[in-house]
Every structure is written in structure tokens, then in C-alpha cells.
């Protein structure tokens, strides 16, 4: 069985491509169902964020499994394969394992060390469990990736003061709007990214903030977390009126189509004012044609790279420390994964030895007589089991611990010949 990761990220594709590939949580079940019905995919999980889409698979036929995933991505996005392939990365085996652990640790993020990705990997694991699309291998890999991410955050300093996409957006706004302090700011959306936006806005600036959300309750709940801030709330029904009264707008909703575009913005923007839009959603909440209006300046997540680059150098040094921890977690997983090859042989060996033990025990007890046998059977049973376990212990440990693939295969073949075992199955799910 092989592990593969097929996907794209902020490193390989612009946001206009990433938004076509994005798979919202509500659609994840259908996507997983489609992929699990592919003949060469045995396990699958999907990680979809504003900066990446990754599909993790376990497959016996790597080439065919990858082909099935890329075909799905082409159909889902509407992009022809020749156009899609130039944006995809494909990682196999240990490279795939290392990549997922780096992702969970925030080392592959646009903002090195950002913490939100760990919760997103956890969410991907939960969705895969919910839809029963992962088995022994991906379940272990995702769990160990979460462990690796937690270790990096607790045992290194890379998470200290780490900026998020939201805080980078606020910093970009401060660069583009010199007098952000005192501006009227609106935020479309009331999720985690919106909370971080508010947190970073009020940390340095005194501005009026209006939070609009599909449901007013969630907007109110977010506002209550900042009782000292000047925050108003409303629903997205009042979006255009609110935008018209604002200087700066941040968007971070889960809408699958743009909320703001040239057509609905043009009547709102007077010739004597400028509207600044900062869109950190994927799919985009602000259509690219908004920039066709003279007094509108729209920025998206890809525009954050200049802000993020300012503190990347120091974070790269921290990332080197973090990679040492990840290497330990990767090796631990690889040892476990390699040991699965031995399951069939060990199972056959134990089964044969256990059959012999039971047969010989039955003969011995019959010779001892029924009265003695009933009185001492448990002791004799425990004795024979203990002997068998001790005899098998070292061969099993050594077989599982053997890292050299060819040496491990030779050892399994030797055991099969010496003990006349039936053909051992290497099925990893037994």
C-alpha cells in the first residue's frame, strides 16, 4: 500500500485557481463519496483551506490512484487536465508523510508558524472519520501529524507572536490606509478569521467596526467578545448600505460566489471617496472586476505575501528547529508503516504455533487424568502460553524493527520456509 498527496497551494497556484478547486465543508461528503468509489483508492481525506487543497490517499496502484484524483479535481473545478496539472504537486511515500506533518506544524503556510492550520487538519480528520473514508494508515498518519503540530507549537518558539492571515490583512490595510485609526471599517463574516481581524484592528487603532453575518446571532456573539470596542452588528441583507458608509471592508465569509463586484459597487462609490477592500476568503468574496472601478482598490490573500515576507527570515530559523522534531515524528510513523508488511507473516506464525500448543496441551491433559487436569488446567494453560509468547517475542520484534525492505522480505521468506507457513498475507488492514 502506498501513500500519496495530490494538491495545490499558495506556492503553486494563484487564488483565482485555488478558488475553483476549493471544497467547502458542506460539499466534502460528496467529494469523499466520489473518491472512495474510485477503484484504485482505498483511503482518502481532504484538506481544503484558503491557501491549499490537498487530497491524501492510500492506494495499491499509485499511478492509477493519482490519475483518479486528478480527474476528479478537473471535473470539480471545470479546469481541463492540461491546465490543472501545471498547478498541482504530487508527493509519494515518505515525502507525503513529511509534507502532511509540515502542514500541520504551520511550516508550509503562507505565514510560517500560523496556528489555524492545526485546527483545519483536525477538521479534515474528523470529516474523514465521519464519512468512514479512512482506515488504519491515514487515521494513524493524520493523528500523528496533529501530534507533530502540537509538539512544534509547544516545544519551539515558532508560534510565538505568529501572525495569521487575518493579522497580515490588517497590516496590509495599515500600509494602504495611513489613517486607519478613526476609519469606519466593516467585516463581512463572523467566523474565526473575523474574530482575529477584530482583535488585530483594535490592538492599535480606534475605529468603528460593523460586523455583518448571514445570521445576526453569530455577529452579536462575536461582538460580545470585545465589550470595550466600538462594534455594531447586522446581517448581510444590509451589506450594500454598510459598504457605502465605510472606508475599509474586510471580507471572510464562506460564500461560494463573489458578494461584491463591479455591478453592485459602482452605484455606491462617489467620485470623491476611495473604498479599500481586503478579501481573505477563498473562494473570493470580491470579484476581480472590482478593481476596474477608479475609486475601488481590492486586495486578496495573494497580496499578503509582501507583508508576510517582512518577518520570514527569523521564522525560517525557527522552522529549522521545528523540522528536527518533525523528523522524529516522520521516522516514528515510517517505522510503524513498514512494520505492517510483517502482519501477515507474524499472524501465520502465531496461528501455527498456537495450533501446535493447543494440540500438545490436549494430549498432555488427557494423559494426566481428568481429576488432575481440572485442578491444574489453568496453570498448565498459562505456562504453555507464556512459553510460546517468550519464544515468539524476539523474532516478532526484530522483524517489525527491520528498516531495510529487502532484508525484511528475506526474513519473512525464511520464516515461511522454516515453519512451513501458508502464504502470508501482507494485507495492512488485517
Amino acid at each position: 500500500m502506498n501513500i500519496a498527496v495530490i494538491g495545490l497551494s499558495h506556492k503553486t497556484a494563484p487564488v483565482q485557481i485555488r478558488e475553483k478547486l476549493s471544497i467547502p465543508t458542506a460539499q466534502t461528503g460528496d467529494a469523499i463519496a466520489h473518491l472512495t468509489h474510485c477503484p484504485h483508492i482505498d483511503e482518502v481525506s481532504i484538506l481544503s483551506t484558503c491557501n491549499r487543497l490537498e487530497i491524501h490517499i492510500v492506494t495499491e496502484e499509485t499511478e492509477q490512484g493519482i490519475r483518479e484524483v486528478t480527474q476528479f479535481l478537473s471535473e470539480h473545478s471545470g479546469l481541463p487536465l492540461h491546465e490543472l496539472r501545471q498547478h498541482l504537486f504530487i508527493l509519494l511515500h515518505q515525502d507525503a508523510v513529511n509534507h502532511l506533518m509540515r502542514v500541520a506544524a504551520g511550516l508550509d503556510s503562507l505565514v510560517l508558524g500560523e496556528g489555524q492550520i492545526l485546527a483545519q487538519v483536525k477538521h479534515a480528520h474528523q470529516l474523514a472519520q465521519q464519512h468512514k473514508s479512512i482506515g488504519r494508515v491515514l487515521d494513524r498518519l493524520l493523528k500523528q501529524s496533529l501530534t507533530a503540530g502540537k509538539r512544534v507549537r509547544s516545544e519551539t518558539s515558532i508560534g510565538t507572536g505568529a501572525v495569521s492571515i487575518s493579522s497580515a490583512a490588517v497590516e496590509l490595510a495599515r500600509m494602504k490606509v495611513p489613517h486607519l485609526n478613526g476609519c469606519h471599517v466593516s467585516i463581512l463574516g463572523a467566523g474565526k478569521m473575523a474574530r482575529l481581524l477584530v482583535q488585530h484592528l483594535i490592538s492599535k487603532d480606534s475605529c468603528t467596526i460593523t460586523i455583518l453575518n448571514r445570521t445576526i446571532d453569530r455577529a452579536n456573539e462575536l461582538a460580545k467578545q470585545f465589550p470595550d470596542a466600538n462594534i455594531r452588528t447586522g446581517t448581510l441583507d444590509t451589506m450594500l448600505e454598510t459598504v457605502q458608509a465605510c472606508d475599509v471592508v474586510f471580507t471572510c465569509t464562506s460564500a461560494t460566489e463573489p458578494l461584491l463586484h463591479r455591478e453592485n459597487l459602482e452605484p455606491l462609490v462617489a467620485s470623491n471617496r476611495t473604498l479599500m477592500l481586503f478579501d481573505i476568503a477563498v473562494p473570493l468574496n470580491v470579484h476581480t472586476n472590482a478593481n476596474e472601478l477608479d475609486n475601488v482598490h481590492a486586495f486578496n490573500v495573494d497580496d499578503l505575501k509582501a507583508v508576510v515576507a517582512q518577518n520570514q527570515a527569523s521564522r525560517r530559523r525557527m522552522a529549522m528547529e521545528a523540522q528536527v522534531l518533525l523528523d522524529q515524528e516522520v521516522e516514528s510513523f515510517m517505522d510503524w508503516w513498514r512494520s505492517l508488511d510483517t502482519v501477515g507473516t507474524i499472524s501465520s506464525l502465531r496461528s501455527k504455533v498456537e495450533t501446535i500448543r493447543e494440540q500438545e496441551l490436549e494430549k498432555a491433559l488427557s494423559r494426566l487424568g481428568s481429576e488432575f487436569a481440572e485442578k491444574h488446567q489453568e496453570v498448565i494453560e498459562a505456562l504453555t502460553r507464556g512459553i510460546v509468547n517468550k519464544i515468539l517475542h524476539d523474532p516478532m520484534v526484530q522483524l517489525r524493527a527491520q528498516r531495510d525492505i529487502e532484508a525484511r522480505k528475506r526474513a519473512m521468506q525464511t520464516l515461511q520456509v522454516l515453519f512451513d507457513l501458508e502464504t502470508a498475507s501482507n494485507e495492512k488492514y488485517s
Side-chain angles (χ1 to χ4, degrees):
M1 302 296 287
N2 300 310
I3 297 173
V5 178
I6 306 96
L8 76 172
S9 73
H10 60 96
K11 295 180 178 180
T12 68
V15 66
Q16 289 79 11
I17 296 295
R18 299 201 305 275
E19 68 173 346
K20 293 179 185 295
L21 274 293
S22 177
I23 303 178
T25 298
Q27 298 176 21
T28 301
D30 291 339
I32 285 176
H34 179 100
L35 290 165
T36 51
H37 281 91
C38 292
H40 299 101
I41 296 176
D42 297 294
E43 300 183 36
V44 63
S45 67
I46 296 175
L47 174 63
S48 182
T49 75
C50 63
N51 278 323
R52 71 182 63 250
L53 170 71
E54 296 184 4
I55 296 182
H56 319 116
I57 64 169
V58 172
T59 174
E60 288 188 26
E61 303 292 339
T62 306
E63 188 175 337
Q64 289 91 330
I66 291 172
R67 188 181 298 119
E68 288 166 357
V69 172
T70 54
Q71 184 62 42
F72 162 75
L73 291 175
S74 176
E75 293 170 1
H76 170 72
S77 64
L79 295 173
L81 281 170
H82 71 272
E83 185 178 343
L84 175 64
R85 286 195 184 102
Q86 64 182 307
H87 299 293
L88 292 180
F89 62 81
I90 297 172
L91 298 169
L92 306 176
H93 317 312
Q94 186 162 339
D95 289 337
V97 173
N98 183 59
H99 171 77
L100 188 49
M101 293 198 184
R102 283 180 60 83
V103 168
L107 300 193
D108 198 63
S109 297
L110 174 64
V111 181
L112 267 178
E114 65 101 354
Q116 232 179 330
I117 187 64
L118 191 61
Q120 291 164 333
V121 172
K122 183 177 181 180
H123 183 59
H125 182 222
Q126 290 170 337
L127 286 174
Q129 288 179 316
Q130 177 184 332
H131 295 287
K132 298 180 172 58
S133 65
I134 55 173
R136 193 174 185 182
V137 176
L138 276 187
D139 184 58
R140 174 83 175 226
L141 176 55
L142 287 164
K143 284 179 179 175
Q144 194 143 357
S145 296
L146 290 170
T147 298
K150 291 173 184 175
R151 281 194 67 192
V152 166
R153 297 199 69 75
S154 63
E155 297 178 34
T156 74
S157 55
I158 196 168
T160 305
V163 294
S164 62
I165 296 296
S166 297
S167 64
V170 173
E171 287 305 312
L172 180 61
R174 290 189 177 118
M175 290 168 57
K176 301 295 182 181
V177 186
H179 306 293
L180 188 61
N181 190 27
C183 283
H184 187 178
V185 176
S186 66
I187 299 174
L188 309 188
K192 291 180 181 177
M193 297 181 88
R195 178 179 60 78
L196 290 171
L197 284 170
V198 176
Q199 180 179 317
H200 291 287
L201 279 168
I202 66 175
S203 66
K204 294 182 181 179
D205 300 295
S206 177
C207 49
T208 300
I209 300 172
T210 299
I211 300 172
L212 302 184
N213 192 58
R214 185 175 56 85
T215 60
I216 189 66
D217 288 346
R218 192 165 185 184
N220 289 337
E221 183 180 332
L222 175 55
K224 287 178 183 176
Q225 296 178 37
F226 302 93
D228 297 329
N230 184 10
I231 298 178
R232 307 167 187 172
T233 60
T235 65
L236 288 171
D237 295 336
T238 63
M239 176 182 69
L240 296 180
E241 301 95 290
T242 303
V243 169
Q244 188 172 26
C246 287
D247 308 294
V248 176
V249 178
F250 293 92
T251 62
C252 53
T253 81
S254 57
T256 55
E257 297 291 337
L259 299 175
L260 299 172
H261 44 78
R262 176 176 181 144
E263 289 72 21
N264 64 5
L265 286 172
E266 190 167 16
L268 308 181
V269 185
S271 58
N272 62 344
R273 65 181 291 257
T274 298
L275 178 62
M276 308 295 286
L277 305 175
F278 299 89
D279 183 7
I280 54 174
V282 177
L284 293 173
N285 287 172
V286 179
H287 198 287
T288 53
N289 66 13
N291 273 318
E292 296 173 7
L293 297 171
D294 291 338
N295 294 342
V296 174
H297 302 282
F299 304 89
N300 60 48
V301 286
D302 283 355
D303 295 311
L304 302 179
K305 291 179 180 178
V307 177
V308 171
Q310 295 175 1
N311 69 350
Q312 290 292 69
S314 61
R315 292 198 176 281
R316 285 195 186 96
R317 291 193 295 271
M318 299 176 194
M320 293 174 67
E321 301 172 18
Q323 187 61 52
V324 173
L325 295 179
L326 294 186
D327 289 343
Q328 297 171 5
E329 295 295 332
V330 169
E331 199 54 58
S332 172
F333 176 84
M334 294 304 296
D335 284 345
W336 172 83
W337 188 26
R338 284 187 288 257
S339 76
L340 295 181
D341 286 338
T342 66
V343 168
T345 298
I346 289 174
S347 178
S348 295
L349 176 60
R350 179 171 283 283
S351 178
K352 180 153 191 175
V353 174
E354 180 62 17
T355 299
I356 294 171
R357 184 194 73 81
E358 290 175 351
Q359 291 172 347
E360 294 304 309
L361 177 61
E362 187 177 348
K363 289 179 186 177
L365 291 176
S366 65
R367 291 179 189 147
L368 292 172
S370 59
E371 185 177 337
F372 182 89
E374 289 177 8
K375 186 176 181 180
H376 301 288
Q377 183 169 351
E378 287 187 12
V379 175
I380 300 173
E381 177 95 20
L383 171 67
T384 56
R385 283 188 185 279
I387 292 172
V388 165
N389 288 337
K390 288 185 181 300
I391 290 173
L392 293 179
H393 178 265
D394 286 345
M396 289 180 177
V397 168
Q398 293 301 320
L399 192 58
R400 290 192 185 104
Q402 179 56 256
R403 292 184 174 181
D404 186 288
I405 295 174
E406 291 305 316
R408 188 168 65 249
K409 286 182 178 177
R410 289 195 297 271
M412 289 192 291
Q413 290 168 353
T414 299
L415 282 174
Q416 290 166 22
V417 171
L418 288 176
F419 288 90
D420 190 25
L421 302 178
E422 295 180 6
T423 303
S425 167
N426 286 334
E427 174 57 60
K428 293 192 176 186
Y429 301 94
S430 58

